[in-house]
Amino acid sequence: MLPLLISKQIREADAYTIAHEPISSIELMERASKAFVGWFINHFQDKKQTIAVYCGTGNNGGDGLAITRILCDHGYCNIDVKICRFSDKASDDFNGNFKRLKTAKIAFQTLKNGSETPRETADIIIDAMLGTGLNKPLAGDYKKLVGYLNSLQKTVVAVDVPTGFYTDGEIAKNATVLMADLVITFQQPKINFLLPESGPYINCCEVVKIGLSEEFINNADTPYFLVEERDAHQLLKLRKRFSNKGTYGHALIIAGKDETMGAALLASSACAHAGAGLTTACIPQSGLVALNSSMPEVMALLRREDKLPDIKWDKYSTIGIGPGLGKEPETLKLLKAICKNYSRPIVVDADALNVLAENKALLKKLPAGSIITPHMKEFDRLFGEHTSWWQRLQTAKAKANELNIYIILKNTYTITATPNERLYFNSTGNAAMASGGMGDVLTGVITSLLAQQYTPQDACLLGVYIHGKAGDELALPNRLYAVLPTNIIARLPVTMAKLKA
């Protein structure tokens, strides 16, 4: 897992690298600037385009000055440098790169406190004003300048972090931030880049490695982690010779009602395709024909409105409950029966979550290690209204610990909160997967992994990763606009086999 650092820790990683590599701070800045330019020139190959580089007087501004000089060395000569001297302070590395800029005889303009903003005509704006050094909302000259640049709707490329954007912590809804078409960020994604608040400000982000100490990063005290392909490869188990259907568990999916049998079919099918040895769908009588005709591999346990189904609790390795189940009184009865009679971890989704939200005392009665999979609105119904995703992260971390459960908070970068107060961001998935039924598929996948005796944490991290990876393998190479849940289900065995190849 890649540890994700807050801004203070990123600065500490810089300092540690400088002390232990060893390397001077200005040469580390040079290395970062070369990494930025390497990506920039591959993306923007027209050297005739005009470029305006806006630099503050801190280290982010020093990056901007170094980037300007290196771009000139690569033949990008239509560059206009604007230095924002809105205070008397300047970092040593900014001053060092300022001397190098003058030695290279590259022209620059100085914007002073209270001065009029010059008219901007460049095709591309490189933003190197503030970076990770921001600790309060923009005000004064910076706010005025950013507002003007946003009004131009130019192509903006930010160095490490867009000006005005917080890398961690809460972002005010009315924050003034320079909107970036592309952010070329150093070493690792910043935590707030992975949250929906970044959407209005960042269109695309690319990470470039700059050689910060892996030792420091891997030993950093952080609750935030990014799940990558190598992690999924390590978590996924091989299916061994002489195994049989009993080896891979028996999953029970309690889902569907007369008008929402699709959810039950999706969850059950995903459970079987993800490798459960046996899958039983607990469905209404009206859904039996649909189940038998579409998924003959899945067994049926029928539900009737007037009484609970006769569930042989010891028969099942795990239970998934919720997709398409409805909020009828029977759903509450089923949840209560599970909490009373079943002690292994279960998966709770969709309507079962909504019933939990109306009967919060049941949250404390879920079997230890159980997994709930809310989207944002379901999460807030369970745990109260939140005004930011950063707040939701902190609540998820606390509630997972308090209730001894795993919380999968669905998002573009779906987050798994664990009882030991860690938060794992998923790195797979794409916008083509934004369609009804995707959550039902995810419930089936995670239930399947629990049935196969994965730990709840591994089932969460691997299930979310595989689900998104299948979508990536379908959508990205083929440039598909939309991928349906049934496409994901069919892809699951292929994705899992490729991960272990």
Side-chain angles (χ1 to χ4, degrees), residues 65 93-105:
L65 298 180
D93 290 339
F94 170 86
N95 289 331
N97 266 306
F98 185 53
K99 291 177 181 177
R100 292 180 180 185
L101 188 82
K102 290 194 291 184
T103 300
K105 298 182 179 179

Side-chain angles (χ1 to χ4, degrees), residues 68-115:
T68 300
R69 175 169 39 78
I70 297 167
L71 280 173
C72 285
D73 291 341
H74 282 83
Y76 291 79
C77 297
N78 295 323
I79 297 184
D80 175 25
V81 182
K82 294 181 172 72
I83 298 175
C84 304
R85 289 194 181 272
F86 297 150
S87 74
D88 296 330
K89 296 179 181 178
S91 72
D92 291 341
D93 290 339
F94 170 86
N95 289 331
N97 266 306
F98 185 53
K99 291 177 181 177
R100 292 180 180 185
L101 188 82
K102 290 194 291 184
T103 300
K105 298 182 179 179
I106 296 172
F108 62 90
Q109 297 181 55
T110 300
L111 307 183
K112 294 185 177 180
N113 189 19
S115 63

Side-chain angles (χ1 to χ4, degrees), residues 410-437:
K410 291 182 281 197
N411 178 22
T412 296
Y413 300 92
T414 290
I415 305 137
T416 298
T418 67
N420 64 351
E421 297 190 277
R422 289 190 168 191
L423 296 164
Y424 294 89
F425 290 82
N426 184 54
S427 60
T428 59
N430 59 83
M433 298 172 66
S435 63

Side-chain angles (χ1 to χ4, degrees), residues 125 144-154 177-179:
I125 293 171
K144 177 183 174 183
L145 177 58
V146 167
Y148 167 70
L149 294 177
N150 279 338
S151 72
L152 301 178
Q153 297 184 328
K154 300 280 188 179
V177 178
L178 185 54
M179 298 177 187

Side-chain angles (χ1 to χ4, degrees), residues 20-301:
H20 290 81
E21 186 170 333
I23 185 174
S24 69
S25 58
I26 198 167
E27 289 310 312
L28 180 60
M29 184 176 286
E30 188 80 2
R31 190 158 75 193
S33 300
K34 286 178 179 177
F36 178 99
V37 170
W39 208 97
F40 183 93
I41 63 177
N42 284 329
H43 195 73
F44 300 97
Q45 296 184 1
D46 183 0
K47 296 182 179 181
K48 295 180 181 178
Q49 285 186 299
T50 53
I51 301 172
V53 185
Y54 282 78
C55 300
T57 54
N59 282 355
N60 194 238
D63 291 329
L65 298 180
I67 286 164
T68 300
R69 175 169 39 78
I70 297 167
L71 280 173
C72 285
D73 291 341
H74 282 83
Y76 291 79
C77 297
N78 295 323
I79 297 184
D80 175 25
V81 182
K82 294 181 172 72
I83 298 175
C84 304
R85 289 194 181 272
F86 297 150
S87 74
D88 296 330
K89 296 179 181 178
S91 72
D92 291 341
D93 290 339
F94 170 86
N95 289 331
N97 266 306
F98 185 53
K99 291 177 181 177
R100 292 180 180 185
L101 188 82
K102 290 194 291 184
T103 300
K105 298 182 179 179
I106 296 172
F108 62 90
Q109 297 181 55
T110 300
L111 307 183
K112 294 185 177 180
N113 189 19
S115 63
E116 285 297 315
T117 303
R119 183 168 173 266
E120 185 54 73
T121 60
D123 300 312
I124 299 171
I125 293 171
I126 294 179
D127 167 25
M129 287 185 276
L130 291 177
T132 62
L134 188 69
N135 56 17
K136 59 183 178 180
L138 292 185
D141 292 289
Y142 274 119
K143 183 174 182 178
K144 177 183 174 183
L145 177 58
V146 167
Y148 167 70
L149 294 177
N150 279 338
S151 72
L152 301 178
Q153 297 184 328
K154 300 280 188 179
T155 297
V156 175
V157 182
V159 179
D160 199 24
V161 179
T163 292
F165 191 83
Y166 287 9
T167 57
D168 46 79
E170 292 189 52
I171 300 171
K173 288 186 178 180
N174 59 350
T176 299
V177 178
L178 185 54
M179 298 177 187
D181 297 277
L182 171 65
V183 177
I184 302 176
T185 197
F186 299 142
Q187 196 65 31
Q188 60 174 222
K190 310 308 183 271
I191 296 166
N192 274 344
F193 290 2
L194 307 178
L195 299 178
E197 278 94 346
S198 68
Y201 309 116
I202 300 172
N203 188 43
C204 179
C205 177
E206 294 293 336
V207 178
V208 293
K209 297 292 186 181
I210 62 170
L212 294 187
S213 170
E214 297 290 342
E215 178 187 5
F216 179 92
I217 293 171
N218 290 331
N219 289 289
D221 182 15
T222 177
Y224 308 106
F225 297 85
L226 182 69
V227 180
E228 300 177 299
E229 183 167 336
R230 61 184 177 181
D231 304 312
H233 173 81
Q234 291 173 356
L235 292 175
L236 186 61
K237 300 175 185 177
L238 286 170
R239 292 169 80 93
K240 297 180 180 180
R241 294 174 66 208
F242 304 116
S243 58
N244 56 65
K245 62 187 178 184
T247 308
Y248 302 110
H250 190 169
L252 176 65
I253 302 287
I254 304 175
K257 57 180 184 175
D258 292 354
E259 60 270 33
T260 54
M261 266 303 297
L265 297 177
L266 289 172
S268 302
S269 181
C271 186
H273 279 81
L278 293 167
T279 301
T280 293
C282 183
I283 57 171
Q285 175 77 43
S286 61
L288 186 57
V289 172
L291 179 67
N292 285 340
S293 59
S294 65
M295 279 295 296
E297 300 89 346
V298 175
M299 297 176 288
L301 173 64

